[in-house]
Amino acid sequence: MASAPANALPVFYNDLLPLSSLDHADFKVRPADTAPFLTSQHAVPLTVDEFAAAQRFLPIIFSAGDDSVPLALMGLNEGVNVVLDEQGKLRGPAYVPAYVRRYPWLLARLRPDSEELSLCFDPTNETVGALEEGQPLFEDGKPTELVQGVLKFCEDFEQAAARTGQFMKDLAELDLLMDGEVSIQVPGSEQPFLYRGFRMVNEEKLRDLRGDQLRKINQNGMLPLIYAHLFSLQLMRDIFDAQVAQGKGPVAPPPAVAALQG
């Protein structure tokens, strides 16, 4: 989940340029009330700092594979996002992950041999550039408060990503993750729709943890995060129903097996 260099761009990003007071002295940024880049994205990376807020609105799962990361589900099928309309506007109350709110900004290493992170942006995004209207990024050659705020947000995100990485490492060491499966029964259909291709916490193994292990995850804050994830899984039915209501439900007749891929 940590930021990637330009040759391995994260999802949403088409290109990256380091922000420069020389090259971008006259650049401005304008607010956006839509996120068209998100309309076909059904799963978005999530940090552990967001679990408490996100679990009220979105299912929290873990990606398949050895290097699992937390994902907030905005749809159950590839290319389906029930949270946004076709223009990229929110349909109602929702939680928007920090990964989305960060875009088009990103902290990235400009050189593989350097640990220094530089504030970069996606130049293909229409909210940043030599615009006639908007808030300036530089004044008298110095970053404005807006840029300083963006930098702080990106730094906080990187720190949250590091905490998330440790959380995932601890889950792996405790062997608490298992391959997930969700069965959704549709009225009038004999067979349920099955969703696989993701990981989730194994509640049986969680209950069987030794006392010292349970005490550790309680003291280090993992336990409420785990339960936020488990409680949020109930929302998968709500996401499924929203897909059906929006005419985006599964088109294959049951039984259908869909992979939730990040």
Side-chain angles (χ1 to χ4, degrees):
M1 187 180 296
S3 302
N7 61 352
L9 294 174
V11 64
F12 302 152
Y13 295 83
N14 299 305
D15 195 4
L16 275 183
L17 285 180
L19 186 64
S20 166
S21 59
L22 296 177
D23 298 334
H24 311 122
D26 61 342
F27 272 33
K28 297 178 181 178
V29 60
R30 61 171 178 243
D33 59 357
T34 62
F37 58 89
L38 186 59
T39 56
S40 60
Q41 188 71 26
H42 78 298
V44 178
L46 197 71
T47 69
V48 290
D49 292 32
E50 304 174 87
F51 275 30
Q55 59 93 24
R56 297 172 53 216
F57 299 95
L58 302 169
I60 301 170
I61 62 167
F62 302 99
S63 60
D66 295 331
D67 298 321
S68 291
V69 297
L71 298 171
L73 287 181
M74 295 183 165
L76 299 188
N77 295 85
E78 287 281 356
V80 175
N81 187 318
V82 300
V83 178
L84 304 177
D85 63 18
E86 287 70 18
Q87 287 72 45
K89 287 189 176 183
L90 289 173
R91 294 181 181 272
Y95 181 79
V96 180
Y99 189 97
V100 176
R101 290 180 275 125
R102 179 184 59 164
Y103 183 77
W105 306 98
L106 181 74
L107 283 178
R109 293 179 179 84
L110 300 182
R111 300 193 311 272
D113 59 345
S114 173
E115 292 297 319
E116 182 179 356
L117 296 175
S118 298
L119 183 61
C120 303
F121 68 99
D122 184 348
T124 68
N125 185 274
E126 297 180 353
T127 64
V128 180
L131 309 174
E132 293 184 3
E133 298 181 353
Q135 294 180 269
L137 299 180
F138 297 96
E139 290 179 351
D140 299 324
K142 297 181 179 180
T144 61
E145 289 187 10
L146 183 147
V147 172
Q148 295 173 13
V150 167
L151 179 60
K152 178 66 164 55
F153 185 90
C154 290
E155 289 174 343
D156 290 346
F157 183 89
E158 291 297 325
Q159 293 170 9
R163 288 188 288 271
T164 304
Q166 184 60 50
F167 172 75
M168 298 306 302
K169 180 180 178 181
D170 292 340
L171 281 182
E173 289 180 352
L174 292 169
D175 193 28
L176 285 179
L177 289 181
M178 68 176 185
D179 292 337
E181 178 178 298
V182 171
S183 174
I184 298 178
Q185 184 67 52
V186 178
S189 175
E190 294 183 1
Q191 299 294 330
F193 286 88
L194 297 178
Y195 285 90
R196 298 170 179 156
F198 66 99
R199 307 193 80 190
M200 59 184 288
V201 168
N202 186 323
E203 293 189 68
E204 183 176 347
K205 286 188 175 181
L206 180 62
R207 288 192 296 267
D208 291 341
L209 285 178
R210 300 192 312 267
D212 60 322
Q213 294 173 318
L214 187 60
R215 183 167 56 253
K216 176 183 177 181
I217 66 173
N218 183 45
Q219 292 176 342
N220 67 12
M222 285 183 65
L223 195 56
L225 297 174
I226 290 172
Y227 278 111
H229 148 67
L230 290 173
F231 292 154
S232 76
L233 296 179
Q234 300 178 38
L235 296 174
M236 294 184 92
R237 178 66 199 227
D238 295 342
I239 298 294
F240 181 90
D241 290 344
Q243 287 189 183
V244 173
Q246 295 172 20
K248 302 174 181 177
V251 295
V257 176
L260 293 169
Q261 300 174 347

